[in-house]
Amino acid sequence: KETLGIQYVGVFSSLFYILPIVLSYFIGVLSDKIGRKKMVIYKYLISIVALILLYFHEISLLLIIGVILLALSSSIALIIMSPLFGDLTTKRNLEVVTALFWLVQQIGVVMSLLLSSIIKTKIIYLVLIMVILASLIIILPLFRLSFKEIRLKLAKEIK
């Protein structure tokens, strides 16, 4: 808002709704072609790059590119989530795994809101990058397994 003005807030916010609509087919095809694991990794990397660019939000071009990349990252997550659930769950645990995922995601949203109200400086971007890296480190060992192996592990853990 300070860099470009209040009139662009709506435009940037709308990207988080427009990009999934426009890119859903292409992201779906790419996900089928290169695999959902790689798409998840790309989503993490794009998020990190976006937050680095947003750290320098005083520069208009970096702000614009950062918001676009963040909206792209959000779109990737939104688009690949349903097929990813299909890959990782069984009929018996689909509801539980889905509910747990959405619970964790909503906790993340609330924590982001709380963090942004507590940390009112640019350091928030660095904190978010560290959170993303930490979650990436947590899921990377799982990605060594096949989806079938992950599905079996989930089925044993969640009955």
Side-chain angles (χ1 to χ4, degrees), residues 81 85 89 93-107 158:
M81 209 48 57
F85 284 143
T89 60
N93 67 5
L94 174 63
E95 292 174 1
V96 174
V97 172
T98 304
L100 283 172
F101 171 79
W102 290 114
L103 174 67
V104 170
Q105 185 180 35
Q106 297 311 313
I107 289 171
I158 302 172

Side-chain angles (χ1 to χ4, degrees), residues 71-156:
L72 175 62
S73 170
S74 177
S75 299
I76 291 170
L78 186 66
I79 293 163
I80 67 168
M81 209 48 57
S82 291
L84 194 57
F85 284 143
D87 292 339
L88 298 177
T89 60
T90 63
K91 287 183 181 181
R92 297 180 94 190
N93 67 5
L94 174 63
E95 292 174 1
V96 174
V97 172
T98 304
L100 283 172
F101 171 79
W102 290 114
L103 174 67
V104 170
Q105 185 180 35
Q106 297 311 313
I107 289 171
V109 169
V110 170
M111 294 306 293
S112 294
L113 291 171
L114 289 174
L115 270 176
S116 66
S117 68
I118 295 168
I119 304 172
K120 299 204 182 276
T121 64
K122 290 171 53 168
I123 293 174
I124 188 71
Y125 299 112
L126 302 176
V127 170
L128 293 173
I129 290 169
M130 297 311 292
V131 169
I132 290 170
L133 286 173
S135 68
L136 182 60
I137 289 168
I138 290 169
I139 68 162
L140 275 180
L142 278 177
F143 280 6
R144 292 185 186 145
L145 303 173
S146 70
F147 280 140
K148 183 177 181 180
E149 292 170 315
I150 296 170
R151 187 180 322 111
L152 289 172
K153 283 186 177 282
L154 277 173
K156 286 180 184 175

Side-chain angles (χ1 to χ4, degrees), residues 49-69:
V49 170
L51 289 168
I52 291 169
L53 293 175
L54 289 172
Y55 182 82
F56 301 102
H57 65 269
E58 300 87 6
I59 302 168
S60 298
L61 181 61
L62 297 182
L63 172 66
I64 293 167
I65 295 170
V67 171
I68 291 169
L69 288 177

